[in-house]
Amino acid sequence: MEGTQTNMKLVAALQEALAENRVTTNQTLLAQHSSDESYHTPHLPDIVVFPESADEVSATVKLAKTYDVPVVPYGYGSSLEANVIPQQGGIVIDFANMNEILEVRENDFLVKVQPGVTRSQLEKELKKYGLFFTVDPGADATLGGMAATNASGTTSVKYGIMRDNVRDLEVVLADGSIIHTGSMAAKSSSGYNLNGLFVGSEGTLGCFTELTLKVIGIPEHIMAARAEFHSVDDAVDAVIAIMQAGIPIARVELVDEEAIKQMNEYSETDYHEAPTLFLELHGNEAGLKNDVDFMEEIVSDMNCRQIEFETDTAGRNKLWEARHNAAYAFIHNHPGRKQMVTDVCVPISELAGAVKDARIAISESGLAGGIVGHVGDGNYHILLMLDPENPDDIARANQLNERIVSYALERGGTCTGEHGVGTGKQKYQEREHGEARHVMRKIKQALDPDDMLNPGKIIE
Amino acid sequence: MEGTQTNMKLVAALQEALAENRVTTNQTLLAQHSSDESYHTPHLPDIVVFPESADEVSATVKLAKTYDVPVVPYGYGSSLEANVIPQQGGIVIDFANMNEILEVRENDFLVKVQPGVTRSQLEKELKKYGLFFTVDPGADATLGGMAATNASGTTSVKYGIMRDNVRDLEVVLADGSIIHTGSMAAKSSSGYNLNGLFVGSEGTLGCFTELTLKVIGIPEHIMAARAEFHSVDDAVDAVIAIMQAGIPIARVELVDEEAIKQMNEYSETDYHEAPTLFLELHGNEAGLKNDVDFMEEIVSDMNCRQIEFETDTAGRNKLWEARHNAAYAFIHNHPGRKQMVTDVCVPISELAGAVKDARIAISESGLAGGIVGHVGDGNYHILLMLDPENPDDIARANQLNERIVSYALERGGTCTGEHGVGTGKQKYQEREHGEARHVMRKIKQALDPDDMLNPGKIIE
């Protein structure tokens, strides 16, 4: 942003277009919008705005264009690859005031929400209708943010990722025009698939102002389980065997020994400190029993040392809360440290080798860390703790990340399964996408010729 | 194409790049590549080529650029909206010689195929591994063609559409460069989602030369059923009730009275001439029994007059063959006529009204026609028979199509659920997509600036 005077003029124009108290340059608020939940270096925006409608977002984008400043959409700030850090300053659009659940169309299994609605807020509302939204990334992110990074998580092995569950987006483009990317139809072959293109575009192609999401009925019966193994290898082999047996598993999460240890300390659980699978099955009563019996047989063949089932809601909730808190447990138990989370996804046949290599990589880094992962998709994370002030720590962490990503890319995998590119995964884009990067760049140039929307992210 | 001499030079250059016998201007072959399976007016290409590798496709596209002629990729010619008709002449690339199944990665639930592989060819090969590819559009189309139109069909209610089942495409772009749109990972948040963009692009953004597809294990148990109803309304209400009960139905097809009549005549079945649902459930034995009992209860509440189950493979095959032949039955029983197939998809809550209106529209058109549909997705087709030489017939058919599409678009639906835009659905693009058309046009211009790839399709 060039000069204070331009900034003051832009602030005044934004206040005119929105409302005085929803445009701020307050230092505390700027600082709150300077970072995400990762180890990446924060950067202050110049202005934060809190629009209340698509028209206000459009007005903001148009003013940003007039004043030639970047625009960065912001949900809850739970991104992990600097996706929402305004690295070139400019205007952060915080969707906190656009947090209404607009319509539940229960007969169509659809819900329309504003982008600032959080996952837990939506879950609470849908429960009234016997419905649930399947994507569960762990963090209580906003739906707009989840769509922007194409989030997924524990249930994606059965129900798919954000991209599979977005039917329509209302999007404000770089020129301020407002489009819809889809419809309420369950499928379509009309026009180019803009839904899928905008999901995962991390604010670089437009700002989402409304989302139409697919929801499903809460399963008739749910069974959760915790299976302890002697080794990570055995646990991963069990996952592959369960998948190959065609058991329609709804969740299958790996938590290694070190992560269980941190989890026990933080969540006051007393799980045996061993590589563990957290599992869940959904279905009708008879089918579920059949699946559970089959699964028990398979894990016992794979040297499972113990399997415990949780059928009641309280037990299940406790189990999944502990799993979701794994990352926070590491952070809580390592005060002053920041967390780097790797996020590769490999073809399932490469998973056992990848996790074994990851364990060696952690040891060799000399840093504290554990492995958790949505292993049914071949997606796993290393939770690595580092001192952000210590260049040596950062170098070791980067080296580990590099190794993990290389391992995945050499085997047909991806550098990011669910956290997105931001700036953290930019250096791997050429290796992963090759010539296809030029196509991505052309699309960015066509839709945002002034490179105004979250500049410097995904596309360099 | 300007002048015979240019054409001869281009033919010679193509023969040099490919092989003499795989570049043709033979009139019979040109005629064979001038039409699809629809009522749309044929148009001759100037040249047909049969490449055997991505490099040969790239060479063809580069020569087309040099000589400034269009390129139209061609699979089996089973499209229904003129998607493959070379309306501006030029080169048709027929993928008949690129029909190899390259790799079955059974542990990864992936298969790599060339674009000319047909659905039945793939099914036969996968059966050896206990696997199946879920997308079943009815026609024995090529996988390349199915990806190009984002085909779906009877099983999409459970397993998704082509877009959901393509992991990676090798694509030759307008400049002859070769890219990959995805990877072998089950999910990714890396870069823009080119997979989804190219699927459904109908050859307007590039030519597919290899596809990596998701496959699944053949279900442990399969149960098919035929349920007869007193009215189409009752049948549709039953579908909605089954969906709302959370029964994970794998197929649910509506066939109306008129279509059953044609089917009986053609397939030598003796089904009662009544609105009928063809259903299928997949699962383990106990779960399936539970689902079947529940479903039987629901359809009986919905005035089902009779339900018959088929558990053995022969019975199931007969049932689905009859269903798949519904469109051909109309064609066979109306010699000299052509078929127009409508293809809208509506939110499920609008389905009963839409089908009722469709029945009235057929009556009012005065043309012979029936209704079939993938009603679990809200997608249904009118199979309408017309005399292509009779302008009055064509006017009536167009009027009916217009009415059906308007009905769907006014209710948040789409003008094409699975057949694509081609030229047939172009006039509805503005109404369906509004401002978003400009985004589609910008993408087309960015990736095919000379408008060389299947020009005149999707984007005007």
Side-chain angles (χ1 to χ4, degrees):
Chain A
M1 193 95 145
E2 288 176 36
T4 319
Q5 224 164 2
T6 320
N7 203 8
M8 278 171 67
K9 272 194 206 161
L10 174 53
V11 168
L14 286 165
Q15 286 179 328
E16 178 81 16
L18 276 69
E20 206 179 313
N21 63 344
R22 293 192 280 105
V23 179
T24 184
T25 55
N26 172 295
Q27 283 301 312
T28 309
L29 279 164
L30 296 186
Q32 278 172 14
H33 293 84
S34 68
S35 61
D36 62 4
E37 284 187 4
S38 74
Y39 66 101
H40 291 287
T41 312
H43 191 287
L44 287 178
D46 295 294
I47 304 166
V48 179
V49 299
F50 298 88
E52 296 189 342
S53 69
D55 285 340
E56 288 189 357
V57 174
S58 171
T60 302
V61 170
K62 281 177 182 163
L63 283 169
K65 191 179 168 71
T66 306
Y67 286 81
D68 193 24
V69 302
V71 162
V72 181
Y74 181 99
Y76 184 76
S78 54
S79 71
L80 292 171
E81 293 295 357
N83 319 55
V84 297
I85 297 179
Q87 290 180 327
Q88 301 178 24
I91 304 168
V92 162
I93 301 183
D94 185 323
F95 286 97
N97 287 3
M98 290 177 72
N99 64 345
E100 258 182 74
I101 296 167
L102 300 169
E103 191 185 4
V104 180
R105 289 177 67 106
E106 50 180 321
N107 289 347
D108 289 320
F109 298 94
L110 292 176
V111 59
K112 289 192 189 194
V113 301
Q114 289 188 309
V117 169
T118 63
R119 215 186 56 78
S120 64
Q121 180 190 351
L122 181 60
E123 193 181 352
K124 201 171 151 193
E125 180 66 15
L126 290 175
K127 204 173 265 178
K128 297 178 193 164
Y129 300 85
L131 296 170
F132 89 115
F133 179 66
T134 58
V135 185
D136 169 28
D140 191 21
T142 63
L143 275 308
M146 286 167 64
T149 49
N150 187 29
S152 45
T154 61
T155 57
S156 297
V157 63
K158 185 177 174 86
Y159 301 110
I161 60 182
M162 272 309 275
R163 187 168 284 127
D164 301 319
N165 290 285
V166 170
R167 284 279 172 80
D168 183 32
L169 295 169
E170 184 183 74
V171 184
V172 173
L173 300 176
D175 63 1
S177 63
I178 302 173
I179 64 161
H180 277 262
T181 59
S183 72
M184 290 196 293
K187 63 182 196 183
S188 175
S189 285
S190 185
Y192 294 145
N193 179 237
L194 300 185
N195 256 349
L197 179 65
F198 279 87
V199 173
S201 63
E202 300 183 16
T204 65
L205 299 178
C207 299
F208 308 158
T209 48
E210 193 183 299
L211 302 90
T212 302
L213 306 168
K214 183 181 162 189
V215 295
I216 65 167
I218 294 172
E220 203 185 326
H221 289 271
I222 301 176
M223 168 78 84
R226 220 169 29 79
E228 298 166 9
F229 292 83
H230 293 284
S231 72
V232 166
D233 268 18
D234 285 345
V236 171
D237 285 345
V239 173
I240 295 169
I242 290 166
M243 307 276 293
Q244 284 177 343
I247 298 173
I249 202 119
R251 285 171 156 157
V252 54
E253 298 284 305
L254 172 72
V255 183
D256 82 346
E257 203 172 327
E258 184 55 35
I260 291 279
K261 200 183 290 182
Q262 304 288 331
M263 199 182 260
N264 277 339
E265 202 168 316
Y266 179 77
S267 294
E268 297 180 3
T269 46
D270 54 357
Y271 298 147
H272 186 87
E273 285 171 12
T276 303
L277 293 179
F278 289 61
L279 300 137
E280 197 166 274
L281 289 162
H282 300 169
N284 67 42
E285 196 167 2
L288 208 58
K289 198 190 163 315
N290 201 320
D291 285 337
V292 164
D293 291 348
F294 195 9
M295 194 178 78
E296 209 167 350
E297 217 174 278
I298 290 170
V299 297
S300 123
D301 283 352
M302 295 293 159
N303 303 315
C304 175
R305 43 176 294 164
Q306 195 186 342
I307 183 161
E308 276 185 11
F309 293 94
E310 303 281 359
T311 43
D312 66 292
T313 310
R316 280 205 320 274
N317 285 351
K318 188 183 159 198
L319 186 154
W320 289 114
E321 203 187 319
R323 163 63 191 92
H324 278 141
N325 284 332
Y328 294 113
F330 271 96
I331 294 167
H332 182 265
N333 300 340
H334 294 83
R337 303 271 156 147
K338 284 246 175 188
Q339 193 169 65
M340 173 194 264
V341 189
T342 71
D343 178 37
V344 299
C345 186
V346 295
I348 192 99
S349 67
E350 300 288 354
L351 185 62
V355 171
K356 191 183 287 186
D357 185 70
R359 194 63 257 173
I360 297 169
I362 298 173
S363 296
E364 290 183 6
S365 77
L367 296 167
I371 298 168
V372 296
H374 319 306
V375 284
D377 299 316
N379 180 211
Y380 68 94
H381 309 297
I382 297 176
L383 307 168
L384 199 72
M385 303 312 299
L386 56 91
D387 175 357
E389 307 298 324
N390 182 344
D392 188 49
D393 270 23
I394 290 179
R396 284 159 189 257
N398 283 334
Q399 204 180 350
L400 174 139
N401 207 355
E402 176 77 32
R403 170 176 174 164
I404 298 298
V405 171
S406 296
Y407 192 99
L409 292 183
E410 281 160 15
R411 287 158 182 83
T414 176
C415 69
T416 167
E418 55 183 14
H419 298 163
V421 177
T423 56
K425 290 291 165 62
Q426 238 171 18
K427 59 183 159 194
Y428 306 115
Q429 294 296 289
E430 183 171 352
R431 263 156 71 195
E432 178 158 348
H433 300 295
E435 294 282 305
R437 273 173 320 129
H438 303 311
V439 174
M440 296 177 193
R441 190 166 290 128
K442 281 178 185 172
I443 292 171
K444 169 71 172 175
Q445 281 164 353
L447 301 190
D448 181 23
D450 303 320
D451 194 19
M452 206 183 82
L453 299 174
N454 206 2
K457 308 294 169 58
I458 302 184
I459 308 291
E460 275 169 87
Chain B
M1 193 91 145
E2 287 176 36
T4 318
Q5 223 164 2
T6 319
N7 203 7
M8 278 170 65
K9 271 194 206 161
L10 174 54
V11 168
L14 286 165
Q15 285 178 329
E16 178 79 17
L18 277 68
E20 205 178 315
N21 64 344
R22 294 193 278 104
V23 179
T24 184
T25 55
N26 172 296
Q27 283 301 311
T28 310
L29 279 165
L30 296 187
Q32 276 173 14
H33 293 84
S34 69
S35 63
D36 63 3
E37 285 186 3
S38 73
Y39 66 102
H40 291 287
T41 313
H43 192 286
L44 287 178
D46 296 293
I47 304 167
V48 179
V49 300
F50 297 89
E52 296 189 342
S53 68
D55 285 340
E56 289 189 356
V57 174
S58 172
T60 302
V61 170
K62 282 177 182 162
L63 283 169
K65 191 180 169 70
T66 306
Y67 285 80
D68 193 23
V69 303
V71 162
V72 181
Y74 182 98
Y76 183 77
S78 54
S79 71
L80 291 170
E81 293 295 358
N83 319 54
V84 297
I85 298 179
Q87 291 180 324
Q88 301 177 25
I91 304 168
V92 162
I93 301 183
D94 185 322
F95 287 96
N97 288 3
M98 290 178 71
N99 66 344
E100 258 182 73
I101 296 167
L102 301 169
E103 191 185 3
V104 180
R105 290 177 66 105
E106 50 180 322
N107 289 348
D108 289 320
F109 299 95
L110 292 176
V111 59
K112 289 193 189 193
V113 302
Q114 290 189 308
V117 170
T118 63
R119 213 186 58 75
S120 64
Q121 180 191 350
L122 181 61
E123 193 180 352
K124 203 172 151 193
E125 179 66 16
L126 289 176
K127 205 173 265 178
K128 298 179 193 164
Y129 299 85
L131 296 170
F132 88 115
F133 180 66
T134 58
V135 184
D136 169 28
D140 190 21
T142 63
L143 274 308
M146 285 167 65
T149 49
N150 186 28
S152 45
T154 62
T155 56
S156 298
V157 63
K158 186 177 173 86
Y159 300 110
I161 60 182
M162 272 309 276
R163 188 168 284 127
D164 301 318
N165 289 286
V166 171
R167 283 280 171 80
D168 183 31
L169 295 170
E170 185 183 72
V171 184
V172 174
L173 299 176
D175 62 2
S177 63
I178 302 173
I179 64 162
H180 278 263
T181 59
S183 72
M184 291 196 293
K187 63 181 196 183
S188 174
S189 284
S190 185
Y192 294 146
N193 179 236
L194 300 186
N195 256 348
L197 179 64
F198 279 87
V199 173
S201 63
E202 300 182 18
T204 65
L205 299 179
C207 299
F208 307 158
T209 49
E210 193 184 298
L211 302 90
T212 302
L213 305 168
K214 183 181 162 187
V215 295
I216 66 168
I218 294 172
E220 202 185 326
H221 289 271
I222 301 177
M223 168 78 84
R226 218 167 32 77
E228 298 166 8
F229 292 83
H230 293 285
S231 72
V232 167
D233 268 18
D234 285 345
V236 171
D237 285 346
V239 173
I240 295 169
I242 290 167
M243 306 277 291
Q244 285 178 342
I247 298 174
I249 201 118
R251 285 171 155 157
V252 54
E253 298 286 303
L254 173 71
V255 183
D256 81 346
E257 205 172 325
E258 185 55 36
I260 291 280
K261 200 182 290 181
Q262 305 287 331
M263 200 182 259
N264 277 339
E265 203 169 313
Y266 178 77
S267 295
E268 296 180 2
T269 45
D270 56 355
Y271 299 146
H272 186 87
E273 285 170 12
T276 302
L277 292 179
F278 289 60
L279 300 137
E280 197 167 274
L281 288 162
H282 300 170
N284 66 42
E285 196 167 4
L288 207 59
K289 196 188 164 317
N290 200 320
D291 285 337
V292 165
D293 291 348
F294 194 10
M295 194 178 78
E296 210 167 351
E297 216 173 279
I298 291 170
V299 296
S300 123
D301 283 352
M302 295 293 160
N303 303 315
C304 175
R305 42 175 293 164
Q306 196 187 340
I307 183 161
E308 277 184 12
F309 293 94
E310 304 280 359
T311 43
D312 66 292
T313 310
R316 280 205 320 273
N317 286 350
K318 187 181 159 199
L319 186 154
W320 289 113
E321 202 187 320
R323 164 62 192 91
H324 278 142
N325 284 332
Y328 295 113
F330 270 96
I331 294 167
H332 183 263
N333 301 340
H334 294 82
R337 303 273 156 144
K338 284 245 173 187
Q339 192 169 67
M340 172 194 265
V341 189
T342 71
D343 178 39
V344 299
C345 187
V346 295
I348 193 100
S349 67
E350 300 288 353
L351 185 62
V355 171
K356 191 184 288 186
D357 184 68
R359 194 64 256 173
I360 297 168
I362 298 172
S363 295
E364 290 184 6
S365 77
L367 296 167
I371 299 169
V372 296
H374 319 304
V375 284
D377 299 317
N379 180 211
Y380 67 94
H381 309 297
I382 296 177
L383 307 169
L384 200 72
M385 303 311 299
L386 55 91
D387 176 357
E389 308 297 324
N390 182 343
D392 189 49
D393 269 23
I394 289 177
R396 283 159 190 256
N398 283 333
Q399 204 179 352
L400 174 139
N401 207 355
E402 175 77 32
R403 171 176 173 163
I404 298 299
V405 171
S406 297
Y407 192 99
L409 292 183
E410 281 160 15
R411 286 158 183 83
T414 177
C415 68
T416 169
E418 54 184 15
H419 298 164
V421 177
T423 55
K425 290 291 166 61
Q426 237 171 20
K427 60 184 160 194
Y428 306 116
Q429 293 296 291
E430 183 171 353
R431 262 156 75 196
E432 178 159 348
H433 300 294
E435 295 282 306
R437 275 174 318 129
H438 303 311
V439 174
M440 296 177 192
R441 189 167 291 127
K442 282 178 185 171
I443 291 171
K444 169 72 172 174
Q445 281 164 353
L447 301 191
D448 180 23
D450 303 320
D451 195 18
M452 207 184 82
L453 299 174
N454 206 1
K457 308 296 166 59
I458 304 184
I459 307 293
E460 275 170 87

